[in-house]
Amino acid sequence: MNRDRNIVVGIDFGTTYTAAAWADTLNPSHIEVIKNWPTAGAVVSSQIKWFKLSLEIEQDKLVLPLNLTPAEIVCDYLTGIYKHVMFTLDRRVGGGGTLGQPAVVSFALTVPAIWSDAARKKLREAAIRAGMGRASPPKIFSEPECAAIHALRDLDDVNRLRDKDRILVCDAGGGTVDIITYDVIQTTPLKITECTAGNGDYCGSTFIDREFERFFMNRMGTYYKDITPLHRQQAIKNFEATKAAFRDDPEQEAFYVNIPTLGDIKDAGVRSGNLLITRSDLRSLFDPAVSRILDLIKAQTKELPSIDLILLVGGFGESDYLYQRILGWACKSQTRVLQPREASTAIVRGAVLKGLEATGYCKTQITRRARRWYGVTINELYVEGTHLAEDRHLNLDTGQVHARDQIRWLIKKGQILSDEEVARHSFHRDFRHLGPWRDNLVSCASEVPPSRLEAPAVKLCTITSDLSHLKKKSFDRHWRKLQPYYTARYSLCLGLQDNNLTFRLEYQGQQYGVAYVDFD
């Protein structure tokens, strides 16, 4: 493989399917989606499906083999993805070299916008262990943002963007649905800003599959136990075609899903191994997820006077039934709804575009809004009547009385932030023995956050700041009871670059990396 080529690989790690695509700096406008997967058409163990979601939420149905953790399963899965991507690049780029041969290949993975910072960190660490961090640390990007970047650049002349357009992106995938609305500041170069904080939920197409599983089990009754787990899984796989084709057409009242090994079971509506599902049945399977998506769109647009265009992307975004339901709502306000070309691969193509931005290609300027409050816990001088008695604490070094676990909020929910902006908090540390300091980063999704560490604020992670490599003479010296103590005044800088938390420490005009960040 030619080491002079800078290749960017995008990975859309999905709940039901994973997509991979790549491009290089020699021809960055050509993005190739990898399609020759070695396991295409194979039946996979039903015990470990939907494992992606367990990086973020607990799943009662998930049974992992060999007592592995979700992060270990994800790492194993991404290792297989990495090997096949590198094998494909060896063949496509040339050289026929050995798999894993050193090459300038960087990776960009996507996550739902509603994922926590801790889940993003788990995915990044799993990707590094899988081999995706050999050239540079893998980038983590927001799925709807990647989809928006590709879709907005790919609109045809009829639907081309205009300055001041307001675009709602509905990224409907297998597990999650993310809704974000952008104002187009300018089209060339593309500059967009979130006009309200995004929202989302776990209401993707896999939840329709789960509704079908319950429907199937109830319909089969006592016959269900006679169907092997493998054939149950095959039945769900066969349901995929029916789910994809459903558009609530009044002229088609009956649908059929093949159930392997079954003949006729009249009581269960099975004839010649085909399970009858009515149009009304299918609506009942779709509507919980679809109604939730409409609720998210309504909540997103409640404070906005108008929307010019809704872009429906993602795998579930290709559903005719979902499109019709959203169109039915949008037409009341004369809002256009589009399913853009390559909607199912818009995320992975956008991930490649985002990854290429580091090389100077086709940068999109995005200004985002924080989805929650971020702050740090601090000790304040105790004030009777202002602080709670239970927070009272005596500092033995200085003799001062402090209130512990108070919160200084650095980033407000809904605050507009660019990639370059940071929020700073200046710390004043008194010490006799110099060592690392540990601070709690907290977050809160409520509109009005508390002033101390209590619900609904939650501890997000522990930040360790380390200046122990400096000499004590670098700090201010004081005396108490004939004993010296020192003061360190430094700033902790917090940013949200590409929707990912960033940290750095500044002391006397110098920037230092934070020693480490330990997520709870």
Side-chain angles (χ1 to χ4, degrees), residues 116-254:
S116 66
D117 301 287
R120 292 166 184 256
K121 184 171 185 284
K122 289 177 187 177
L123 180 62
R124 180 183 289 107
E125 291 173 345
I128 291 172
R129 291 196 300 272
M132 297 182 182
R134 295 183 181 180
S136 60
K139 303 284 189 181
I140 304 294
F141 298 128
S142 161
E143 290 175 1
E145 189 172 291
C146 289
I149 288 173
H150 170 72
L152 294 178
R153 292 186 180 280
D154 198 49
L155 291 177
D156 57 29
D157 290 339
V158 175
N159 298 296
R160 67 178 182 272
L161 286 181
R162 299 178 297 272
D163 291 354
K164 299 183 180 180
D165 274 353
R166 178 164 287 167
I167 314 295
L168 184 147
V169 178
C170 175
D171 170 25
T176 57
V177 174
D178 286 305
I179 312 290
I180 299 182
T181 306
Y182 296 101
D183 282 334
V184 178
I185 306 304
Q186 66 182 42
T187 56
T188 307
L190 185 58
K191 182 178 180 181
I192 58 178
T193 184
E194 292 183 14
C195 55
T196 186
N199 61 2
D201 203 354
Y202 294 90
C203 51
S205 63
T206 57
F207 293 88
I208 300 174
D209 296 339
R210 296 186 186 195
E211 291 291 331
F212 173 73
E213 279 193 79
R214 285 190 282 268
F215 170 85
F216 180 39
M217 184 169 61
N218 292 335
R219 176 69 72 84
M220 296 307 299
T222 57
Y223 299 104
Y224 186 77
K225 66 180 186 300
D226 299 326
I227 305 173
T228 67
L230 181 63
H231 291 140
R232 293 173 192 170
Q233 182 189 352
Q234 189 59 51
I236 296 172
K237 192 175 183 68
N238 294 341
F239 173 69
E240 284 288 329
T242 302
K243 181 176 70 173
F246 180 59
R247 53 198 312 253
D248 200 24
D249 185 348
E251 296 185 2
Q252 185 176 3
E253 290 289 344

Side-chain angles (χ1 to χ4, degrees), residues 13-17 43-54 59 61-70 72-74 76-77 210 233:
F13 173 35
T15 305
T16 51
Y17 300 101
V43 176
V44 185
S45 169
S46 61
Q47 289 185 323
I48 55 172
K49 61 185 178 181
W50 305 325
F51 58 87
K52 168 194 171 179
L53 297 183
S54 290
Q59 291 212 86
K61 280 194 169 188
L62 194 67
V63 180
L64 300 179
L66 304 176
N67 296 317
L68 297 174
T69 66
E72 290 170 331
I73 293 291
V74 169
D76 185 58
Y77 179 77
R210 296 186 186 195
Q233 182 189 352

